[in-house]
Amino acid sequence: MSRGTNLFLVFSISTVLWIITLFLSTGYVNEVAKSMPTYALILYFSYALYKVGGDLARIKDYPEEAESLQKEVQEAKRFYQQQGLKL
Amino acid sequence: MSKYSVILPTYNERENLPIITYLIFEMAKKNNLDFEIVIIEDNSPDGTLQVAQELKKVYGDKLIIHFREKKLGLGSAYMDGIKLCHGNFVVIMDADLSHHPKYLKDFIEKQKETNCDIVTGSRYINKGGVMNWGFDRKLTSRGANFLASTMLGVKCSDLTGSFRLYKREVLEKVIKDVVSRGYAFQMEIIIRARKYGFTVEEVPIVFVERIFGESKLGASEFQIYLKGLWKLLWTF
C-alpha cells in the first residue's frame, strides 16, 4: 500500500468516525467533536512552526565561508596560470 | 585502499568547473585520498567542454569527460557517470561551488566510522548552514523539506540535498528504479535507499549560493517539486 493510500485511508476513517461522533454525541463530547478538525490543523501548523521556525532561527549564515571561497577561487586561478592553461 | 569517483554533471559551468576541479584534487592530495572526476557535459553553449579538455591536460586520467549531445537530465547523467567510474565509492555534487569539496573528508570519515551506505550533506543540522540566501529562500527550502518529510514519513533533515557519498553498488541499485525529476529525484533516492534497507547518515555542510554563472532554478521549480512530491506519495 502506498503512503498516499495509507494517508487517504487514515483521513477517510478519521472523517467517518468524526461524523459518527458528531451525530451520536451530545453535550460536552459534541462540543469537543465539533472543534476536533480545527484542533488537528492547529496542532499540525504548530508543529510546523516549531520545526521550521526553530530551524530558521538556528540556521546560521556563514559569511566567512563565502570569503574563504573567494580566496580559493584566486588560488585556483593562479595554479592554472602557472600550468600555462588558457581557460 | 578506497577509490572515490565524483560525478559532475555540467551545463554552462565554464567558470566554475576549473575551480571545483582544483578544490576536489587539492582536498584529495591533502588527505591522501584517491579521487577521480567524471564530467558529464551536456553540450553547453558557453564552451564548458573546451574548458574540460584543457583541464585534462593537467589532471590526465584522473579526469574523465563524457560528452552528450543535449541536456538529458540529472538521472541519466548519474547513470552514464556510474558506468565510467572506477571507484568503489561515488560522490554526487553540484559543479557550481555551492557544495564545497572540503566536506568530502567529513563524508568519508562518517562513512568509515559507521560503515553506512550513504552519507548525505545537510544544511539543517547543527553546524550546517547556508550563505547568500534571503529569508524567503530559507523559508521555502526548509518548508519544502518539512512538507516532504511529514507527507512521506521520512526522517531526513535535508531530503532535497544533492551532495552525497554512496557506496557504488548502492547507487547502482537505487538509481535504476528512480522515476522522478528535479528535487523529487533526490528525495526518491533516499526513500528507495531506505526501502532497500540501506543506511543513511548525515554530515553538516554550509551551502554557498553560486558565485559564477546563472542559476538554473526558476519559479516553475516549486511547481515541479509539488508535482514530484505528489507522485512520490503514490509510488511508495
Side-chain angles (χ1 to χ4, degrees):
Chain A
M1 193 188 293
S2 70
R3 173 82 177 170
T5 311
N6 221 334
L7 286 174
F8 177 73
L9 277 175
V10 166
F11 177 74
S12 306
I13 292 168
S14 308
T15 306
V16 166
L17 286 174
W18 174 68
I19 291 170
I20 292 170
T21 311
L22 211 55
F23 279 102
L24 296 183
S25 62
T26 54
Y28 181 71
V29 175
N30 188 261
E31 289 298 315
V32 170
K34 275 182 201 169
S35 53
M36 284 313 284
T38 314
Y39 183 65
L41 276 173
I42 290 171
L43 260 185
Y44 181 75
F45 285 113
S46 299
Y47 178 63
L49 191 64
Y50 164 70
K51 288 293 281 183
V52 176
D55 280 350
L56 285 177
R58 196 180 39 79
I59 291 173
K60 288 183 188 168
D61 279 339
Y62 289 88
E64 63 271 25
E65 291 284 332
E67 283 164 22
S68 139
L69 183 58
Q70 290 287 3
K71 285 182 187 160
E72 284 167 326
V73 166
Q74 299 311 316
E75 186 186 309
K77 285 179 177 174
R78 278 194 299 273
F79 170 77
Y80 289 120
Q81 270 169 6
Q82 284 164 7
Q83 300 292 320
L85 247 60
K86 288 174 188 173
L87 295 171
Chain B
M1 188 174 159
S2 296
K3 189 177 174 83
Y4 301 89
S5 302
V6 179
I7 298 177
L8 272 187
T10 58
Y11 189 77
N12 285 345
E13 299 289 1
R14 68 167 293 134
E15 292 184 72
N16 291 319
L17 185 59
I19 316 297
I20 190 86
T21 306
Y22 172 79
L23 290 175
I24 289 170
F25 286 124
E26 277 301 295
M27 179 281 308
K29 195 165 78 174
K30 271 184 199 152
N31 295 287
N32 198 28
L33 296 165
D34 187 6
F35 263 74
E36 66 176 8
I37 298 176
V38 179
I39 295 170
I40 310 296
E41 194 350 71
D42 284 355
N43 201 5
S44 308
D46 74 343
T48 304
L49 176 65
Q50 287 72 29
V51 170
Q53 286 165 342
E54 282 293 303
L55 292 174
K56 199 160 167 67
K57 294 175 187 172
V58 177
Y59 299 110
D61 292 341
K62 287 193 168 296
L63 194 70
I64 298 160
I65 302 169
H66 179 64
F67 175 75
R68 306 194 304 177
E69 291 290 335
K70 56 180 181 172
K71 269 178 92 170
L72 296 172
L74 268 184
S76 69
Y78 296 147
M79 291 183 73
D80 287 347
I82 290 172
K83 291 174 197 163
L84 301 168
C85 290
H86 301 97
N88 49 332
F89 289 93
V90 177
V91 171
I92 61 164
M93 60 192 294
D94 293 349
D96 62 0
L97 302 178
S98 52
H99 297 151
H100 199 297
K102 67 182 177 186
Y103 296 110
L104 289 172
K105 180 172 161 285
D106 300 334
F107 282 35
I108 291 166
E109 275 173 12
K110 181 60 105 176
Q111 196 285 321
K112 283 183 179 165
E113 178 192 311
T114 60
N115 195 26
C116 62
D117 300 300
I118 301 172
V119 180
T120 184
S122 174
R123 296 160 285 189
Y124 305 119
I125 56 177
N126 194 23
K127 294 185 188 169
V130 296
M131 188 53 217
N132 294 337
W133 272 18
F135 180 78
D136 52 347
R137 178 112 190 251
K138 286 181 193 173
L139 178 62
T140 310
S141 176
R142 190 63 195 94
N145 268 285
F146 173 80
L147 185 67
S149 63
T150 51
M151 296 304 286
L152 298 170
V154 178
K155 271 189 189 167
C156 184
S157 68
D158 198 349
L159 259 181
T160 57
S162 56
F163 191 6
R164 296 179 182 155
L165 167 74
Y166 297 84
K167 282 184 182 172
R168 185 208 176 108
E169 61 275 18
V170 169
L171 185 60
E172 278 174 334
K173 183 172 172 109
V174 168
I175 205 158
K176 62 182 183 344
D177 297 330
V178 171
V179 296
S180 306
R181 299 175 69 185
Y183 291 111
F185 173 83
Q186 305 295 351
M187 295 194 287
E188 189 179 342
I189 288 190
I190 292 293
I191 296 169
R192 286 197 183 272
R194 287 243 170 89
K195 290 275 177 199
Y196 281 128
F198 295 130
T199 50
V200 182
E201 293 288 339
E202 294 183 323
V203 158
I205 60 163
V206 175
F207 181 99
V208 179
E209 185 60 36
R210 63 159 59 228
I211 51 177
F212 295 128
E214 283 178 18
S215 174
K216 286 134 194 119
L217 292 177
S220 60
E221 287 293 318
F222 193 65
Q223 250 188 340
I224 295 171
Y225 159 79
L226 286 175
K227 278 186 192 165
L229 179 58
W230 178 255
K231 211 171 162 186
L232 283 175
L233 266 179
W234 305 101
T235 306
F236 296 99

